[in-house]
């Protein structure tokens, strides 16, 4: 089901090869100390990755429903630098840094204004219905290659 008009959820946007996804911190995101619970940053990043792929023309749902496969996270390296709090407006900045036949590496940063909260490198692999790695669709690889960030891949 596709939603249109006034009921369209707010999504991200591309600025060059960089995807930016807005997030607001709600009460449910915080722990007893009033800061965002650490696992919620992973959720924000997942939403941003899904939005980025959708905007780029990658239809994950159609591929999954056709029995072609799905992405699975195979590696995450994350560093927490500062905490977000209730009602903070955040942005998840995502950049593709590597693409191969089977996997994609995405660098993601969660920011509150100019403050970097978290920094992560996320590797996803395309797996078949049997859970084994397989080649991504060729047209997807072409899309990814156009989006690969050309700057310093160590610290995008």
């Amino acid at each position: 089901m596709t939603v249109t008009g006034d009921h369209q959820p707010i999504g991200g946007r591309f600025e060059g090869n960089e995807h930016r996804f807005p997030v607001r911190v709600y009460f449910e995101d915080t722990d007893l100390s009033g800061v965002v619970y650490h696992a919620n940053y992973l959720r924000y990043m997942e939403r941003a990755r899904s939005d980025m792929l959708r905007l780029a023309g990658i239809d994950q749902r159609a591929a999954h429903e056709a029995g072609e496969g799905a992405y699975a996270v195979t590696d995450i390296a994350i560093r927490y630098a500062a905490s977000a709090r209730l009602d903070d407006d955040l942005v998840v900045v995502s950049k593709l840094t590597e693409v191969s036949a089977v996997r994609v590496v995405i660098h993601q940063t969660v920011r509150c204004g100019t403050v970097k909260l978290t920094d992560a490198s996320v590797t996803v692999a395309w797996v078949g219905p049997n859970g084994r790695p397989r080649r991504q669709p060729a047209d997807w690889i072409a899309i990814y290659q156009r989006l690969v960030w050309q700057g310093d891949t160590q610290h995008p």
Side-chain angles (χ1 to χ4, degrees):
M1 174 171 77
T2 302
V3 180
T4 59
D6 292 340
H7 302 290
Q8 184 69 29
I10 294 175
R13 68 186 185 286
F14 276 100
E15 291 183 10
N17 289 9
E18 192 175 87
H19 180 264
R20 295 176 170 266
F21 185 78
V23 175
R24 170 145 313 123
V25 175
Y26 294 105
F27 184 77
E28 67 184 13
D29 297 323
T30 62
D31 61 18
L32 291 175
S33 66
V35 300
V36 171
Y37 180 65
H38 72 278
N40 287 331
Y41 293 99
L42 296 172
R43 289 183 179 91
Y44 302 156
M45 291 177 191
E46 176 66 35
R47 291 177 201 158
R49 287 192 306 276
S50 294
D51 187 74
M52 178 180 64
L53 297 184
R54 183 185 56 78
L55 285 178
I58 307 294
D59 192 343
Q60 295 182 88
R61 180 176 175 176
H64 176 70
E65 289 175 352
E68 296 174 20
Y71 283 110
V73 172
T74 60
D75 187 65
I76 294 179
I78 189 166
R79 179 178 170 88
Y80 297 94
S83 299
R85 296 186 175 279
L86 180 65
D87 288 333
D88 279 352
D89 290 321
L90 313 178
V91 63
V92 181
V93 179
S94 304
K95 302 173 186 178
L96 277 78
T97 58
E98 294 179 43
V99 178
S100 74
V102 174
R103 69 183 180 93
V104 178
V105 180
I106 305 165
H107 182 269
Q108 295 185 281
T109 303
V110 180
R111 295 185 171 279
C112 184
T114 60
V115 177
K116 184 191 314 185
L117 305 176
T118 62
D119 197 41
S121 177
V122 181
T123 302
V124 295
W126 185 248
V127 296
N130 63 357
R132 299 192 49 89
R134 67 188 298 187
R135 287 186 162 273
Q136 302 177 77
D139 55 332
W140 290 13
I141 293 172
I143 290 169
Y144 292 140
Q145 288 172 335
R146 288 191 302 271
L147 290 175
V148 169
W149 193 70
Q150 299 299 315
D152 177 3
T153 58
Q154 295 298 351
H155 302 286

